[in-house]
């Protein structure tokens, strides 16, 4: 892996910084969040206003000008490419039948707000009652089945907004 970082500032400026440039930076730590930086004989006051380590997002103030900074290394890019991002919410938009069966109850309705792990419906399969729960927080957009209906595996049951 390279010793460099991809940096995005205010979602508009993209550039790459290598580890040596960071080590060569002339900075002095003033407090836990404040730094004094010299670059090309110019003095800068820098402050880390907010930091979200999981999303690698930082709110930085340089001479009282605010910037949103995202920092990624080569491993972060590979993880994102593979779809295994850390710290990001699940985005499941539909619930499908995990097995064929009979719908016994649907205790929710269209437009209802649900939380992750709330019961959405009861599916009877192989003489067992299976409570299907919400995979995420959201609002019910549509219910594609009705109580007493038989469903096939992978059949659409519920859609989220």
């Amino acid at each position: 892996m390279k010793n460099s970082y991809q940096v995005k500032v205010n979602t508009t400026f993209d550039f790459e910084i290598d580890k040596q440039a960071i080590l060569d930076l002339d900075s002095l730590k003033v407090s836990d969040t404040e730094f004094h930086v010299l670059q090309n004989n110019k003095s800068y006051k820098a402050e880390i206003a907010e930091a979200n380590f999981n999303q690698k997002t930082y709110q930085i103030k340089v001479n009282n000008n605010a910037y949103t900074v995202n920092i990624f290394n080569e491993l972060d890019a590979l993880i994102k490419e593979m779809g295994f991002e850390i710290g990001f919410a699940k985005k499941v938009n539909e619930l499908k039948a995990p097995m064929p069966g009979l719908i016994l109850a649907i205790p929710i309705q269209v437009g209802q707000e649900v939380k992750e792990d709330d019961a959405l419906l009861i599916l009877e399969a192989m003489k067992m009652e299976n409570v299907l729960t919400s995979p995420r927080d959201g609002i019910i957009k549509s219910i594609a089945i009705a109580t007493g209906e038989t469903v096939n595996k992978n059949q659409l049951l519920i859609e989220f907004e």
Side-chain angles (χ1 to χ4, degrees):
M1 291 209 171
K2 298 185 285 185
N3 285 327
S4 65
Y5 303 91
Q6 294 293 7
V7 179
K8 183 176 279 224
V9 179
N10 291 345
T11 66
T12 51
F13 299 104
D14 284 315
F15 54 95
E16 188 171 321
I17 298 175
D18 66 11
K19 201 167 193 169
Q20 190 59 47
I22 294 169
L23 293 172
D24 292 342
L25 186 64
D26 189 2
S27 67
L28 176 65
K29 188 173 185 175
V30 178
S31 72
D32 286 340
T33 60
E34 295 179 340
F35 299 85
H36 182 262
V37 179
L38 284 174
Q39 184 182 25
N40 299 329
N41 295 322
K42 286 188 177 181
S43 176
Y44 298 95
K45 177 185 168 192
E47 178 185 356
I48 301 172
E50 290 180 38
N52 184 328
F53 184 75
N54 284 338
Q55 293 184 352
K56 298 195 179 191
T57 302
Y58 305 88
Q59 298 295 323
I60 308 294
K61 286 185 179 178
V62 178
N63 291 344
N64 290 320
N65 294 315
Y67 302 95
T68 300
V69 179
N70 298 85
I71 302 172
F72 303 101
N73 62 19
E74 189 176 345
L75 179 59
D76 296 322
L78 181 60
I79 288 169
K80 184 175 182 178
E81 184 180 312
M82 294 174 67
F84 296 118
E85 293 177 88
I86 298 172
F88 289 90
K90 296 179 191 175
K91 197 64 177 169
V92 176
N93 291 322
E94 54 189 32
L95 179 68
K96 294 184 178 182
M99 62 193 90
L102 175 69
I103 303 297
L104 296 180
I106 307 172
I108 51 144
Q109 51 192 312
V110 173
Q112 182 176 334
E113 187 173 336
V114 295
K115 298 285 184 198
E116 186 173 0
D117 295 326
D118 282 356
L120 298 179
L121 59 90
I122 299 173
L123 174 71
E124 182 185 83
M126 297 181 285
K127 299 187 188 219
M128 290 181 58
E129 292 184 6
N130 302 285
V131 178
L132 300 186
T133 59
S134 180
R136 68 173 177 99
D137 292 355
I139 297 173
I140 303 300
K141 180 179 178 181
S142 68
I143 301 172
I145 38 86
T147 301
E149 190 175 325
T150 57
V151 295
N152 296 315
K153 182 176 181 174
N154 291 325
Q155 181 177 334
L156 178 65
L157 303 173
I158 296 171
E159 285 184 296
F160 294 92
E161 286 186 9

